[in-house]
Amino acid sequence: MEQYRTRPAPHPQRPPAQRRGAPTAAVPAQGGRPRPPLARRLPRPRLTGLGGGLFACAGMVLAGGISWLLFDSSLFVYGLLFVPVAAAAALWVRPADLITAPISAPIAFAAGAWSISGGSGGFGGQLMGLVSVLSLHAGWLYAGTLVAALIAVVRKAVLIGRRRLPRRVA
């Protein structure tokens, strides 16, 4: 009677120290360079498309609150905070969901602008204040969306280049 393996065999190309979950302290990478220790590397979260959109919305609601509390609803500060939030959302989204980064950036801008729109007189007044903010400060909206779109396009081009590289060599 044969006994079958219950665990998969270890990956033949990776040494045991480079397996998932093991700490990587100065273990040479495939290129021959030693990798920096785990504590010195930047975090590489990979958000889904929905997670990236929620991250951007939460960041812009926080930026709107900061602008409202500290800077008396300054739209310049809000727009200045929008560009890095849109860039971070585009950098941290998964490669499969890159298209969602420039789509979620304007939605996040509108979600955070609600708190600093300055409308009065009920729901209609708040909505008109939001429309005014979106129309008068469209430059910041376009700038952040453009940054997110450029980051997504460059990341996609790098991914396509990495996929095609082995075909050219072989």
Side-chain angles (χ1 to χ4, degrees), residues 119-139:
S120 61
F123 181 74
Q126 289 286 331
L127 189 61
M128 288 308 295
L130 179 63
V131 169
S132 297
V133 166
L134 292 177
S135 63
L136 294 175
H137 298 280

Side-chain angles (χ1 to χ4, degrees), residues 23-48:
T24 58
V27 176
Q30 292 176 353
R33 295 188 325 231
R35 294 170 76 184
L38 187 62
R40 287 192 296 176
R41 279 193 276 170
L42 292 175
R44 299 187 56 93
R46 292 292 176 219
L47 300 172
T48 62

Side-chain angles (χ1 to χ4, degrees), residues 48-70:
T48 62
L50 179 62
L54 289 174
F55 167 76
C57 285
M60 290 316 298
V61 167
L62 181 67
I66 289 171
S67 175
W68 178 67
L69 285 173
L70 300 178

Side-chain angles (χ1 to χ4, degrees), residues 83-145:
V83 176
V85 168
L91 285 171
W92 286 351
V93 75
R94 294 186 314 181
D97 296 329
L98 279 174
I99 191 65
T100 62
I103 294 170
S104 63
I107 297 169
F109 188 88
W114 187 269
S115 63
I116 60 170
S117 61
S120 61
F123 181 74
Q126 289 286 331
L127 189 61
M128 288 308 295
L130 179 63
V131 169
S132 297
V133 166
L134 292 177
S135 63
L136 294 175
H137 298 280
W140 287 111
L141 180 62
Y142 292 149
T145 306

Side-chain angles (χ1 to χ4, degrees), residues 2 8 22 53 59 72 81 95 106 135 139 152 156 161 170:
E2 282 187 58
D72 197 30
L81 292 174
S135 63
K156 188 66 173 179

